[in-house]
Amino acid sequence: MSLEKEALLRALGAEVIRTPTEAAWDSPESHIGVAQKLQREIPYGIILDQYKNINNPLAHEFTTGPEIIAAVEGTPSTSSRPSSGKIDVMVAGAGTGGTVTGISRAIKKKHNKECIVVGVDPKGSILALPNDLNADGEGSMYIVEGIGYDFVPDVLSRDPKDVNTWIKTGDDESFAAVQQLMRKEGLLVGGSSGSALSGALRWLKTNAGRQVAESEGKNVVVLLPDGIRNYMSKSWFLNIAMESEPSPLAGTIKQILGSSKPNGVALQNGH
C-alpha cells in the first residue's frame, strides 16, 4: 500500500496496520488474518468484507453500470464518429472482482446481452485462472496496486457469461500506458488504469478484438478506476515524472534561456 493511502487514512483518524505483502491471504499475518483477529477482540468490531459482501457487486450493478450505459447511450452517433449506441466491449481490471462483475450484469441484463466483458489481471495474480493456465509469473510479485490476488474473492463471478475472457498484463506495459494517458489525454491516473488500457490494447489484437476494431461504430469502454494522488511517492511514478526523456520543447527552452544568460553566468534551478 502506498504511503499516500496510509497518510490519507491517518489524517481521517484511522489506525493503519501494515502487513507483509508476501503473506498468503489465509495466513494469520495477512491483512485478512490481522483484520479478523482485531475484529474478534475489539468490542463491536465489524469487517465490511469487500471480498464476500454482496453489496460490492450490487453497488456497481445499480450505480456504476447505469452511469456508463447512460453516457454511451447519450453520446450521439455522427458521420465522423459513428456509434452503435451500445457498449460493445467492456474492459476492467479485477481486484475483488465486484466492479467488473457488477458492471457486466448491469450491461448484459438491461443494455446489451451480447457485450464482451474483458477482465484484466496482472501477471502474478490467479484471478484469470482457470482461463489462463500458463506460467505467466503465477505467484510472483507485481507492483501494480488494487488489482489481482492470490485467491479468488467470492464476489468475483466465475461465470464466463459475466466475464467472457481474461487478459494478463505486466507492470512495465501498465506503467507505459499510464504515461501515455498522462501525456496524450491529460488523465492523472494510477497503475491499475494503465493495466486496463494495456489489457484493452492487447485484447484488440486478438482475433475477436480485431473484428471489433475493424467494425465501424463499435464502442469499447475501458474503466480507469484510480488516480495518481495515491501513488506520487512510488518509484515508478517518479521515474515517469522526473526521469523521462525531455520533451521536444526542452531544446527550444534551453536555446532561449541560454542566449539570454547575463554575463555568461549559468542559470540554476529556481533562478
Side-chain angles (χ1 to χ4, degrees):
M1 181 176 72
S2 69
L3 178 63
E4 287 86 351
K5 291 179 182 178
E6 179 179 351
L8 179 59
L9 289 169
R10 290 189 181 279
L12 293 169
E15 295 294 332
V16 178
I17 308 299
R18 284 190 173 270
T19 59
T21 302
E22 63 273 11
W25 69 274
D26 54 354
S27 72
E29 295 79 25
S30 72
H31 63 300
I32 295 176
V34 170
Q36 290 173 338
K37 180 178 181 179
L38 294 174
Q39 189 268 333
R40 288 192 300 267
E41 300 190 21
I42 295 176
Y44 308 108
I46 185 173
I47 299 177
L48 298 180
D49 200 347
Q50 61 180 341
Y51 306 108
K52 296 181 180 179
N53 193 331
I54 189 62
N55 289 302
N56 178 351
L58 283 177
H60 296 288
E61 182 176 345
F62 293 116
T63 59
T64 317
E67 180 181 352
I68 295 171
I69 292 169
V72 172
E73 291 182 338
T75 301
S77 178
T78 65
S79 57
S80 60
R81 292 182 177 273
S83 170
S84 66
K86 300 181 296 183
I87 302 168
D88 299 291
V89 180
M90 179 74 218
V91 183
T96 66
T99 301
V100 68
T101 298
I103 292 175
S104 173
R105 289 172 178 169
I107 294 172
K108 290 174 180 282
K109 285 180 180 179
K110 298 183 178 180
H111 174 69
N112 178 18
K113 66 179 181 179
E114 302 301 325
C115 176
I116 300 171
V117 177
V118 181
V120 179
D121 190 38
K123 295 177 181 178
S125 167
I126 69 166
L127 299 187
L129 300 176
N131 304 65
D132 190 341
L133 292 171
N134 61 29
D136 239 344
E138 180 186 342
S140 62
M141 298 294 291
Y142 50 91
I143 299 173
V144 169
E145 295 183 36
I147 57 174
Y149 278 110
D150 58 350
F151 71 102
V152 179
D154 290 354
V155 297
L156 171 59
S157 174
R158 306 305 293 170
D159 189 337
K161 293 180 181 178
D162 288 327
V163 183
N164 303 105
T165 188
W166 289 88
I167 290 289
K168 302 286 280 188
T169 58
D171 286 332
D172 289 346
E173 62 185 311
S174 297
F175 299 142
V178 170
Q179 185 173 32
Q180 291 300 305
L181 285 165
M182 290 180 179
R183 295 289 179 88
K184 294 186 176 181
E185 302 295 337
L187 297 174
L188 296 174
V189 297
S192 63
S193 291
S195 296
L197 176 59
S198 60
L201 295 174
R202 181 177 289 210
W203 180 81
L204 286 167
K205 295 178 182 178
T206 66
N207 290 334
R210 282 195 294 269
Q211 290 180 21
V212 170
E214 294 168 1
S215 300
E216 187 175 73
K218 293 288 188 180
N219 293 308
V220 179
V221 176
V222 181
L223 186 70
L224 308 180
D226 57 5
I228 199 59
R229 182 193 67 180
N230 286 336
Y231 307 101
M232 294 184 73
S233 66
K234 290 289 186 177
S235 58
W236 66 262
F237 171 70
L238 292 175
N239 183 61
I240 288 175
M242 309 300 290
E243 304 297 332
S244 296
E245 290 293 321
S247 72
L249 190 59
T252 302
I253 292 174
K254 182 178 181 180
Q255 183 178 11
I256 294 171
L257 297 181
S259 63
S260 62
K261 290 183 293 185
N263 300 322
V265 177
L267 293 173
Q268 297 180 356
N269 291 337
H271 299 281

